[in-house]
Amino acid sequence: MTVEPQVKGWCPGAHRPMLSGDGLVVRVRPRAGRLTSAEALGLAGLSSTFGNGTLDLTSRANLQLRGVSEDDFPTVLATLEELDLLDQDADLEARRNILITPFRKSGGIEDRLTAALTRALPDLPPLPAKIGIAIDTGRTRVLGTASADFRFERDANDGLILRADGADKGVPVTEETAVPALIDLAQWLAKRVTPDLRRMRKVVTATGTPREASVFPVPMAARAQPGPVTAGLLVGAPFGQIPAVDLVRLLTDTGAPAIRLTPWRMLLLEGVTDTISASRAGFVTTLGNALLDADACPGAPYCPAASVETRTLARRLAPRLPAGLHVSGCSKGCARSAASPVTLVGREGRFDLVRDGHAWDEADEADLTEDQILKILTQDTPEA
Ligand code: SF4
């Protein structure tokens, strides 16, 4: 039997941390998806002093501190305020789900739109907490697979459009009309949200596209890969897990003035070309590293729902499974919602193996130890 897990309608933030197996998870939402080197070093220091020594890069390009105690939380919050990484209040923080293409010119339309949309957030109608906005206004789209409900994109004539996620066409807008158009579309969505239809894509699938939508967006770009790009250097962090000491070394040794966060478990180091220092700091700088294609949730001991450790196994298996590996601490499948050729699901200290499916699908083989898994998968695909 296949049972898709229920997704909680609440997003943790800095003001509203989430209690996990190893303490509080404090999610920081950098403004415009960017941190100066000083801000990033400040976060690394917080993680080393009050957290578990790692930062998690999320699929919405935010950073999480893990393992913060309730006693230390007020100090963490005060430090975030000193670093200017804290929103005025929890409600504003919860609404500020804005994802911005990392491939932008500083001070360009993406930055201006982000600032205008941030100012307009209080004018949006009440919407479910996970609702987000993508600003993906380059010549090709790069955020098409990232979570967002309202998408600002380009059409074939370089015009700006606003597209509802799930719709194939969008509404032409200008920089001046972008905010009113977003408010209109948000009101359209708010009227259609139900307990079962809480994201734009589901609403569009169930009720149809907004009538004025008439323009196709430009095509999607190929998936971004580590390496040099116009704005700097993209470097990968397997599973989105960034040891604080590695981040300090990365920033110090490359001299990056700022980093841009991406939803692809990669950081863009502004103005950097030094791949050697980035690689020495422990980051992936070359194409084709299988670890960047594998997903593994934090697992035990970090998540109370997990009975198995996940990432060590994923590191061992990823080179053998270039087509896709998902190691999930339980059947909720937080790390990957799409189907995967191989999914290993923790259950009572062992793993179930699902082929070509999701973490919540019926297992093909059950109650496996790590050694049994290695044996089965090694038979399938000898290591390259
Ligand atoms: S999938 Fe992983 S992170 Fe999500 S609830 Fe299960 S064990 Fe926890």
Side-chain angles (χ1 to χ4, degrees), residues 297-300 303-307 310 328-335:
C297 74
C303 177
S307 61
T310 49
S328 186
C330 77
S331 61
K332 191 173 171 191
C334 295

Side-chain angles (χ1 to χ4, degrees), residues 171-337:
V171 181
V173 295
T174 64
E175 205 175 325
E176 289 68 38
T177 62
V179 167
L182 175 74
I183 293 172
D184 278 356
L185 189 55
Q187 285 166 345
W188 181 91
L189 175 62
K191 285 183 195 147
R192 289 161 178 80
V193 164
T194 69
D196 291 331
L197 304 175
R198 297 180 62 77
R199 297 297 300 269
M200 179 69 92
R201 179 171 287 273
K202 286 196 168 181
V203 168
V204 165
T205 303
T207 71
T209 306
R211 258 179 306 155
E212 322 82 63
S214 58
V215 184
F216 285 107
V218 289
M220 290 271 292
R223 222 181 94 190
Q225 296 285 350
V229 293
T230 307
L233 182 66
L234 265 180
V235 298
F239 316 123
Q241 197 176 24
I242 304 173
V245 288
D246 290 356
L247 182 59
V248 172
R249 186 170 175 195
L250 179 75
L251 293 167
T252 309
D253 291 0
T254 63
I259 56 175
R260 299 179 188 179
L261 308 180
T262 80
W264 318 302
R265 292 177 285 181
M266 286 190 264
L267 303 174
L268 194 157
L269 307 172
E270 287 187 3
V272 168
T273 54
D274 179 3
T275 52
I276 294 173
S277 292
S279 171
R280 283 196 187 131
F283 290 80
V284 177
T285 57
T286 50
L287 295 175
N289 187 306
L291 278 180
L292 288 186
D293 290 328
D295 285 308
C297 74
Y302 307 112
C303 177
S307 61
V308 292
E309 199 279 341
T310 49
R311 287 178 174 166
T312 305
L313 179 62
R315 281 179 189 277
R316 289 174 76 188
L317 290 175
R320 297 179 188 278
L321 298 164
L325 168 69
H326 177 194
V327 182
S328 186
C330 77
S331 61
K332 191 173 171 191
C334 295
R336 186 182 290 198
S337 56

